[in-house]
Amino acid sequence: MTASRIRLSAAVMSHPKRADAAHALAARFPELNVRVALDPEPDGPPSSLRSARLAWAAVDPEATHHLVLQDDALPTEDFLERLHALIEAHPDAALSLFTEWGSRTSYALRIAAMHGCDLTPVVDDYIPCVALVLPRELAEGFEEYVLAKAAEGEPDDVALLNYLTDRGIRTLMPVANLVDHDNAVSLVGNNVHGARTAACLMPANPVDPGSAPTTHSVLTGLGTVPYYDFWGQYSDACVPDPSTVDGRMRSSARAFLLKQGVTQDELVTELRDSLARRPEREFLTDRVSEVVLTEVWIVSYLLGFLAAELEGQRGASLDLTGPVATAALATLGPGAIRRVVPSRWLPAVGAVLTPLLLDAVRAGMARAPLVPAA
């Protein structure tokens, strides 16, 4: 399907309390004739599914694809240009255009960035749907699925996961997100999660004139995924489990690494050595507890280990310093600790934490199994 054959329709899902924001977002794209889908039961129990059903049902029958934006989506300046190219490259996939910096998919995204891939599979136990594109037939079929199979009160992101899994549709995420998220007051209570900023944003015109053009290559072969439980402040490993809808089961990152021969003592010793080299260590340890620092170090170590294991040569060809990888890795720390560090301190703490976590990533890369070249 060529770009000239792509016909995109769009809707913004919202609540009457935020109708002004929804209409303002719709007005950004007059060429799409964006429809605004307002919650038909604004005084009912908080539910994202009611407006989502209307938004997906608003697909133009002449369209090839349908875009649904939530009213707090912040599209990039070059949003439509990049979106059309992405649809052209993967016309049959569900395309999620934003993931927050602490999601499970954000860790897969960082591995993809280190491997030089442009897209990653979505690996959450929901479908990130702040901005989501479906082929027209899938958009049209969502209402029928909800009526037949969705549980009462089910969030739209969970209903979409079940729907797309049921249909055997893969969901892809651009490593450089096409959308950011406005961290205003959530009408469904999501502010308790802390700031939900994009995992990786790039400028509309990258400053590196030598950067390679987008190829829309997809990260493949991803098995276990690192994940930081930002609610409980635990480092996890999401191991493959075909019995689950999302295909993975959460386990302990410590236990996973121990099976690979990496002990707790080794992890703590390397963290202390890295801290000792940091001139800002007193500021960092004053703002972040030892427990949290240790857990974020471990998940970063696991990230490096798994990225290098996938590469097979202990990370010899992995990228940690290019513009996309740098942007993706810089959000790891803030995304992990956003609930336990006051928002006024988060930018400064995140800036100091990132070099420490890069040490952890490199240490994990160095411990990955070495696979002989073919």
Side-chain angles (χ1 to χ4, degrees):
M1 181 179 295
T2 64
S4 61
R5 291 179 56 196
I6 294 170
R7 296 184 300 278
L8 188 64
S9 64
V12 176
M13 55 180 281
S14 187
H15 188 280
K17 290 181 179 178
R18 294 224 292 251
D20 288 347
H23 284 287
L25 178 57
R28 279 196 55 184
F29 306 106
E31 60 271 59
L32 297 182
N33 190 27
V34 182
R35 302 183 185 185
V36 174
L38 298 178
D39 187 341
E41 300 177 35
D43 298 323
S47 170
S48 56
L49 187 56
R50 291 192 298 263
S51 56
R53 290 169 63 181
L54 294 179
W56 288 111
V59 58
D60 187 326
E62 300 299 318
T64 60
H65 294 79
H66 188 56
L67 163 70
V68 170
L69 296 164
Q70 295 180 1
D71 60 26
D72 51 7
L74 300 172
T76 58
E77 293 181 11
D78 53 354
F79 175 77
L80 283 182
E81 177 185 354
R82 291 171 60 194
L83 179 56
H84 274 269
L86 184 57
I87 295 172
E88 181 183 4
H90 299 281
D92 299 324
L95 300 170
S96 182
L97 310 177
F98 162 88
T99 190
E100 60 108 328
W101 54 2
S103 70
R104 188 189 299 180
T105 294
S106 75
Y107 290 86
L109 177 153
R110 294 177 184 110
I111 293 175
M114 291 163 67
H115 279 262
C117 295
D118 302 307
L119 296 105
T120 180
V122 167
V123 295
D124 296 297
D125 53 2
Y126 60 91
I127 295 296
C129 54
V130 169
L132 181 67
V133 175
L134 298 180
R136 186 195 69 242
E137 296 83 358
L138 283 174
E140 292 173 333
F142 183 59
E143 174 67 10
E144 181 180 355
Y145 175 86
V146 170
L147 291 173
K149 295 187 177 182
E152 184 176 355
E154 191 169 68
D156 62 327
D157 52 8
V158 174
L160 283 161
L161 172 69
N162 293 331
Y163 172 55
L164 296 175
T165 301
D166 190 59
R167 296 289 295 269
I169 304 299
R170 65 176 180 164
T171 304
L172 299 177
M173 170 80 60
V175 170
N177 288 183
L178 273 63
V179 166
D180 201 357
H181 179 256
D182 183 358
N183 290 296
V185 176
S186 170
L187 296 180
V188 293
N190 285 334
N191 288 104
V192 295
H193 295 290
R196 290 165 289 143
T197 299
C200 180
L201 283 177
M202 300 299 296
N205 298 298
V207 295
D208 181 4
S211 61
T214 300
T215 61
H216 297 105
S217 57
V218 181
L219 178 71
T220 59
L222 189 64
T224 298
V225 178
Y227 174 63
Y228 192 78
D229 181 345
F230 56 81
W231 190 269
Q233 299 297 309
Y234 301 118
S235 54
D236 289 333
C238 299
V239 298
D241 183 352
S243 70
T244 64
V245 174
D246 57 281
R248 287 175 175 82
M249 177 182 67
R250 281 174 56 181
S251 182
S252 163
R254 278 183 175 82
F256 181 91
L257 286 168
L258 186 58
K259 289 181 180 178
Q260 318 306 315
V262 183
T263 68
Q264 170 78 5
D265 286 345
E266 289 178 82
L267 292 167
V268 172
T269 297
E270 292 196 61
L271 167 58
R272 290 174 178 167
D273 289 346
S274 179
L275 271 173
R277 297 192 296 269
R278 301 288 159 199
E280 313 91 343
R281 60 184 176 276
E282 290 187 9
F283 170 80
L284 185 59
T285 54
D286 185 56
R287 297 291 184 269
V288 184
S289 76
E290 181 180 352
V291 171
V292 171
L293 271 181
T294 302
E295 292 297 323
V296 182
W297 173 274
I298 291 172
V299 81
S300 302
Y301 188 106
L302 180 59
L303 176 73
F305 183 95
L306 293 171
E309 181 182 51
L310 190 59
E311 188 261 356
Q313 296 296 317
R314 290 185 179 155
S317 65
L318 297 186
D319 174 20
L320 273 68
T321 60
V324 177
T326 296
L329 290 167
T331 64
L332 194 164
I337 64 174
R338 82 282 187 103
R339 290 193 73 247
V340 295
V341 171
S343 57
R344 69 181 183 277
W345 283 113
L346 192 56
V349 173
V352 173
L353 183 57
T354 294
L356 184 82
L357 299 186
L358 287 174
D359 279 355
V361 171
R362 294 187 184 96
M365 290 166 54
R367 285 298 301 272
L370 182 63
V371 178

